[in-house]
Amino acid sequence: MEKKATRYGYSEALIEMGATNKNIVVLDADLSRSTSSELFKKKFPERFFNVGIAEQNLLGLAAGLSLTGKIPFASTYSIFASGRAWEQLRTTICYSNLNVKIGGSHGGILTGPDGASHQALEEFALTRILPNLTVFVPCDFFEAKKATLAAAEMKGPVYIRLGREPVPVLTTPETKFISGEGLLMKEGQDVTIIACGSLVAESLQAALLLEKENIKARVINIHSLKPLDEKIIIQAARETKAIVTAEEHQIYGGLGSAVSEVVVKNYPVPLEMIGVNDTFGTSGAPEELMRFFHLKDIDIVAAAKKVLARKG
Amino acid sequence: MEIAQLKDQAKKIRQDIIKMLGAAGSGHPGGSLSATDLMTALFFNILRQQPQAPRWPGRDRFILSKGHCAPVLYACLAELGYFPLEQLLTLRKLGSCLQGHPSCQDLAGVEVSTGSLGMGLSVATGIALGAKLDQSDVRVYCLVGDGELQEGQIWEAAMSAGHYRLDNLCCIVDNNDLQIDGRIKDVMNVYPIVDKFKAFGWQTIEIEGHDFKQILEAYATAAKTKEKPTAIIARTVKGKGVSFMEDREEWHGKAPNKELTAQALKELE
């Protein structure tokens, strides 16, 4: 299967929009090669601003630019955008409901050898609690591109979680992307795996493994963590009566928590969570870390079996 | 306005501040009163604005980075006709558009929500950058406190404004020398303020912040300056105009009771 990093979907969308929309401006904080925003800089240098290693100012400048009618995309690593500059995101951008878009690259454990300091595993928790903010977690290149295009079309702040590593291309340019709508990737009636980002590919793999054991798993891709598609989640709970969530993030506060909130409120069913289990990351090869932290297809299979046992 | 009129206007604004804080029962008189003359000169003589059309694109922008001094901003806006003066008495009350710290989603005339210190200068710098991209002649003014200069983000913003040579940006430092816990130099010394801005590529102007002649000259110099942002470091007195509040840090964030409100208003007659 073809693999491509989501960060490149982001920059491809920026370049496409930059050609037709003069209001698109891009900022970075000395990571333009890593985030791939330098590809925009090469085409439109007059609309690119490198603010240096100063993430709080990065979001502040983006806020100011949005107040002059620009559509700023602020790029940096996800941990800095959501963590270091969290209060700027909260008070300057979200409280003011400004039209600022944030591309947080190098999210998740797949950031690899750089280790725990750079592996953002907390952004879902940090961003989804902010009023006015839309949070996208694209699963592949095309989804990242579409999420970026959609962000520019929307009014208000948007956070897009992107990754460094190439991940399987699961969708096509034609696959629809609608904010707040989950995407059914595979039909199934026995158990539902609800995943986002890189874990969508692992979940589809898991579904294939389960199929060999005659277990039909439904796979739902939540590319829009906020607003969350409650309907598709409640329907899955009602129809399959067992749920596994899977994310490249801490199990506390992320997709698993968000799905649990919906399920418990509306249609309680057994639920298991795949994610990093309340620990920091560590250095290692990306794939190796996925195994080390039990984020692989086989881990999802085990969780599915566990939840099926609980379902009775 | 002539200087005599500005003085009268400033007096009204100080009265508004005391009345609204007295009615609210909480809030920040000290820094509002120290910034009153700077704000009056700016709002009544300098800013190009249309109070009846607060979102007029050609307006000059003002960002209150020291958001706790919302009362002085609200008083200026009300005196200019952005909203009725009576509304000032709703400050900090449930359902009021006059939030404890300025909220742009609640009140037209507020460009961006502030209140957490250190953030406003970045936003002002971003607006100035956007105006340059548009080749517009919009000017951007940002009021910061001296204690606020302890926030690291201020210097990130100062660095970037100097880097982009934003001569359409003017930062006014309300240098009243006090913060909640005491004298600036005793809590955490930010002096020399002038040298710091200079080092980041800014033009600096030092003035007496209650002398309208100096204030107006400083704004005029800032507007004429090319290729550099301007920082006006204005020496002020915290609580200026109310004897029992002047230069007293305990009046940073405390509203006067009924008796002291009356006394303050009498002094401001």
Side-chain angles (χ1 to χ4, degrees):
Chain A
M1 192 177 279
E2 190 198 0
K3 282 188 169 187
K4 231 169 162 182
T6 51
R7 57 184 162 141
Y8 293 117
Y10 172 72
S11 52
E12 194 169 289
L14 293 181
I15 290 164
E16 211 171 281
M17 293 188 291
T20 55
N21 188 345
K22 293 269 177 276
N23 284 328
I24 302 286
V25 297
V26 176
L27 303 93
D28 206 302
D30 197 38
L31 289 168
S32 64
R33 281 187 202 129
S34 297
T35 65
S36 86
S37 71
E38 71 160 358
L39 300 172
F40 181 91
K41 179 193 176 181
K42 281 180 186 154
K43 292 252 181 192
F44 311 103
E46 72 290 353
R47 279 185 276 146
F48 177 85
F49 303 98
N50 197 334
V51 309
I53 310 162
E55 293 79 12
Q56 303 173 76
N57 195 41
L58 171 78
L59 293 199
L61 291 186
L65 283 161
S66 79
L67 287 167
T68 63
K70 307 285 174 290
I71 307 174
F73 280 80
S75 319
T76 182
Y77 285 179
S78 205
I79 190 63
F80 310 138
S82 68
R84 190 184 193 109
W86 183 83
E87 206 205 345
Q88 283 72 16
L89 177 61
R90 173 194 179 268
T91 305
T92 302
I93 295 174
C94 292
Y95 182 40
S96 301
N97 201 14
L98 299 183
N99 200 27
V100 173
K101 322 298 173 182
I102 295 149
S105 184
H106 292 52
I109 203 79
L110 283 170
T111 300
D114 277 351
S117 63
H118 283 57
Q119 294 158 345
L121 296 171
E122 303 85 2
E123 321 102 289
F124 301 169
L126 290 168
T127 56
R128 78 182 186 91
I129 52 172
L130 292 174
N132 295 333
L133 187 63
T134 294
V135 184
F136 292 145
V137 189
C139 76
D140 72 359
F141 174 85
F142 289 121
E143 215 166 73
K145 185 173 173 183
K146 280 177 272 191
T148 309
L149 296 171
E153 287 295 315
M154 303 165 60
K155 277 271 168 238
V158 180
Y159 189 96
I160 311 168
R161 199 242 208 160
L162 304 159
R164 173 185 188 275
E165 277 297 290
V167 289
V169 177
L170 305 170
T171 65
T172 70
E174 286 73 41
T175 313
K176 67 170 183 178
F177 179 93
I178 299 168
S179 170
E181 279 191 23
L183 202 59
L184 180 67
M185 305 294 284
K186 190 180 175 303
E187 193 44 275
Q189 298 301 320
D190 298 330
V191 58
T192 302
I193 307 166
I194 301 178
C196 64
S198 63
L199 267 288
V200 175
E202 296 294 338
S203 299
L204 286 169
Q205 275 298 119
L208 291 179
L209 294 173
L210 287 164
E211 208 156 75
K212 286 182 189 155
E213 300 184 47
N214 219 16
I215 299 166
K216 304 271 187 284
R218 181 181 301 186
V219 179
I220 293 169
N221 165 15
I222 298 289
H223 52 60
S224 173
L225 185 64
K226 190 182 181 187
L228 186 62
D229 188 346
E230 299 202 356
K231 216 173 116 198
I232 203 169
I233 295 167
I234 297 166
Q235 191 187 351
R238 190 170 282 136
E239 291 175 4
T240 69
K241 296 188 172 56
I243 291 175
V244 175
T245 61
E247 63 199 300
E248 203 189 330
H249 185 272
Q250 297 286 355
I251 55 164
Y252 296 135
L255 175 72
S257 297
V259 170
S260 300
E261 288 157 16
V262 174
V263 170
V264 170
K265 262 193 291 189
N266 295 280
Y267 197 91
V269 296
L271 187 145
E272 291 289 331
M273 296 180 196
I274 291 290
V276 175
N277 197 355
D278 198 23
T279 178
F280 283 104
T282 186
S283 288
E287 252 317 287
E288 190 180 23
L289 292 174
M290 292 290 276
R291 287 193 296 275
F292 184 80
F293 286 102
H294 303 290
L295 303 172
K296 289 298 292 175
D297 50 2
I298 51 167
D299 304 302
I300 299 169
V301 166
K305 286 182 181 168
K306 195 170 165 194
V307 84
L308 280 169
R310 288 174 60 197
K311 175 182 171 183
Chain B
M1 278 186 186
E2 295 299 320
I3 286 180
Q5 288 172 291
L6 283 173
K7 281 184 179 166
D8 280 347
Q9 188 59 63
K11 196 180 273 181
K12 273 190 214 156
I13 290 190
R14 286 197 166 89
Q15 291 167 355
D16 291 337
I17 291 167
I18 294 299
K19 283 181 203 162
M20 55 201 297
L21 286 168
S26 69
H28 301 81
S32 284
L33 293 170
S34 65
T36 297
D37 299 319
L38 297 162
M39 288 286 283
T40 305
L42 184 64
F43 271 77
F44 290 84
N45 272 32
I46 305 293
L47 292 181
R48 292 165 295 179
Q49 51 191 336
Q50 296 182 356
Q52 307 314 319
R55 295 275 162 207
W56 169 53
R59 71 193 182 281
D60 289 330
R61 314 300 175 90
F62 172 75
I63 307 291
L64 183 67
S65 193
K66 51 176 220 155
H68 57 278
C69 298
V72 66
L73 172 62
Y74 296 158
C76 287
L77 293 175
E79 292 283 348
L80 280 165
Y82 278 83
F83 58 86
L85 278 164
E86 309 85 77
Q87 225 168 299
L88 289 176
L89 298 179
T90 67
L91 173 71
R92 291 178 164 245
K93 298 218 165 29
L94 185 63
S96 172
C97 54
L98 307 184
Q99 293 291 296
H101 295 79
S103 164
C104 64
Q105 292 295 299
D106 290 284
L107 184 64
V110 174
E111 301 288 350
V112 67
S113 302
T114 52
S116 181
L117 293 176
M119 298 185 185
L121 190 58
S122 292
V123 180
T125 304
I127 297 173
L129 201 53
K132 287 282 179 195
L133 268 184
D134 291 339
Q135 293 171 329
S136 107
D137 67 347
V138 162
R139 291 190 53 77
V140 189
Y141 296 84
C142 179
L143 181 71
V144 302
D146 46 9
E148 183 180 10
L149 301 178
Q150 291 158 352
E151 288 282 3
Q153 190 184 351
I154 288 286
W155 302 107
E156 294 184 4
M159 193 190 303
S160 61
H163 178 85
Y164 292 121
R165 291 182 224 155
L166 297 173
D167 51 23
N168 53 350
L169 176 66
C170 176
C171 176
I172 307 139
V173 181
D174 180 10
N175 187 193
N176 61 33
D177 201 44
L178 284 173
Q179 57 188 121
I180 299 179
D181 282 347
R183 291 271 154 214
I184 299 290
K185 67 170 173 36
D186 297 332
V187 177
M188 181 47 66
N189 193 9
V190 297
Y191 297 109
I193 296 171
V194 171
D195 293 357
K196 287 189 175 70
F197 276 100
K198 272 204 177 107
F200 286 113
W202 289 57
Q203 163 174 249
T204 56
I205 306 173
E206 289 176 86
I207 61 166
E208 294 299 328
H210 302 301
D211 179 330
F212 279 106
K213 188 163 171 286
Q214 291 189 34
I215 296 171
L216 292 174
E217 276 172 12
Y219 287 140
T221 305
K224 273 185 278 182
T225 302
K226 297 285 170 223
E227 296 283 309
K228 270 184 176 189
T230 296
I232 299 174
I233 294 94
R235 278 177 299 273
T236 58
V237 175
K238 199 152 185 160
K240 174 77 177 176
V242 178
S243 60
F244 59 87
M245 291 184 178
E246 281 193 2
D247 205 32
R248 303 274 294 270
E249 78 245 27
E250 64 263 37
W251 286 101
H252 170 90
K254 184 172 73 172
N257 62 21
K258 215 171 164 184
E259 200 186 351
L260 289 176
T261 298
Q263 191 183 325
L265 287 175
K266 202 162 179 207
E267 286 187 23
L268 291 167
E269 263 169 23

